[in-house]
Amino acid sequence: MPETLNPPRLLPSGDSAITVEFSRTIDEAANRRVLALDRLIAAEPIAGITETVPTYRSLLVHYDPVQIDFDALGEQLLARAEQALPTAAGTRRWRIPVAYGGEHGADLEDVAKTLNTTPDDIVARHVAGDYRVAMIGFTPGWSYLSGLETFLHMPRRQNPRLLTPAGTVSIGGIQTGVQCLAGPSGWHLLGRTAVRTYQLHRDPIFLLEPGDAITFTAVDAKTFADQDRAAEAGAFIAELVTP
């Protein structure tokens, strides 16, 4: 018997967008429903929709009010939400190398002390994780990953840094993530990857997509430096394990 799912809430977002909200908190099941609806709309477009933006718990749908109004679009979105069933079929899995600790992971030792363990244990736990790209946001290519082991859950820093390096791999709250561009962050920095999740003049511009599966592997500082030079020249450092 098929599972009965609660319908999402429809929230107006200005005069030309609808938020389709599946949950009010970060929720793995809700995120899978968000991505399923986003895929269905892409496969079977609704006239008047101009863009969709998936997040952890909702899908923002931009539309042209000249072509379709809020009520008519909302009705179609609710119907699509009932049809859109989450599936793992065809999921891409990436293996991403990370240089942990030292100059590449300024917070690794502090995280270990806070959690009453060792830096090696933190790295082992982080590498053992099976993650999924829940959303892309904040800055281009910033990939928010669900699936962080409960032991590694930590409140964000009380004093965010104004600048953290490109390629930082960090944890914050119940999430881990890959930061592509240098920028501010209140997360705890565990390491860095040479993988460019965003490069403007590359095809594809964005390497990772919501729904992709991610695993990390630990590399040493020299390997990171070699990979960083190769990535800067345009090489793909992330390994696509499954298509």
Side-chain angles (χ1 to χ4, degrees):
M1 184 174 180
E3 181 183 1
T4 300
L5 300 174
N6 293 326
R9 295 200 310 160
L10 299 181
L11 305 171
S13 299
D15 59 1
S16 60
I18 296 178
T19 295
V20 186
E21 185 184 75
F22 289 92
S23 174
R24 298 189 184 185
T25 60
I26 291 179
D27 182 275
E28 182 78 14
N31 184 248
R32 292 185 183 276
R33 294 181 67 190
V34 168
L35 300 184
L37 177 58
D38 192 42
R39 286 192 295 268
L40 182 58
I41 292 173
E44 302 175 13
I46 298 173
I49 289 181
T50 58
E51 184 182 12
T52 58
V53 182
T55 72
Y56 255 106
R57 59 189 184 85
S58 63
L59 183 68
L60 179 63
V61 180
H62 294 274
Y63 65 94
D64 180 354
V66 174
Q67 296 187 56
I68 191 168
D69 63 25
F70 179 94
D71 292 334
L73 178 55
E75 183 177 344
Q76 292 197 53
L77 289 173
L78 289 176
R80 294 291 178 91
E82 290 184 5
Q83 301 171 32
L85 300 177
T87 176
T91 299
R92 301 189 305 174
R93 178 174 292 278
W94 298 92
R95 185 176 293 125
I96 294 178
V98 180
Y100 288 94
E103 64 177 311
H104 300 309
D107 296 325
L108 178 60
E109 291 195 6
D110 286 341
V111 168
K113 289 177 182 177
T114 300
L115 297 180
N116 196 30
T117 186
T118 65
D120 286 346
D121 182 51
I122 297 296
V123 172
R125 289 173 180 273
H126 194 258
V127 166
D130 186 13
Y131 306 105
R132 194 172 60 86
V133 180
M135 61 175 282
I136 307 291
F138 183 52
T139 58
W142 216 118
S143 304
Y144 291 80
L145 310 184
S146 62
L148 183 67
E149 180 190 354
T150 303
F151 181 84
L152 296 177
H153 292 183
M154 284 189 63
R156 300 185 188 190
R157 291 172 52 88
Q158 290 186 345
N159 299 307
R161 292 183 173 91
L162 297 180
L163 187 65
T164 53
T168 290
V169 175
S170 54
I171 57 175
I174 65 173
Q175 308 166 77
T176 188
V178 181
Q179 174 184 327
C180 183
L181 304 179
S185 178
W187 292 30
H188 304 276
L189 316 184
L190 299 186
R192 286 183 68 194
T193 180
V195 173
R196 270 60 166 173
T197 58
Y198 164 81
Q199 276 186 317
L200 182 59
H201 301 295
R202 181 186 65 192
D203 183 17
I205 294 175
F206 294 97
L207 184 64
L208 306 181
E209 297 178 356
D212 285 356
I214 305 293
T215 53
F216 295 110
T217 58
V219 298
D220 59 27
K222 181 182 183 304
T223 300
F224 168 82
D226 293 341
Q227 292 178 338
D228 195 47
R229 285 191 293 269
E232 184 64 26
F236 285 93
I237 302 302
E239 180 185 355
L240 182 58
V241 182
T242 55

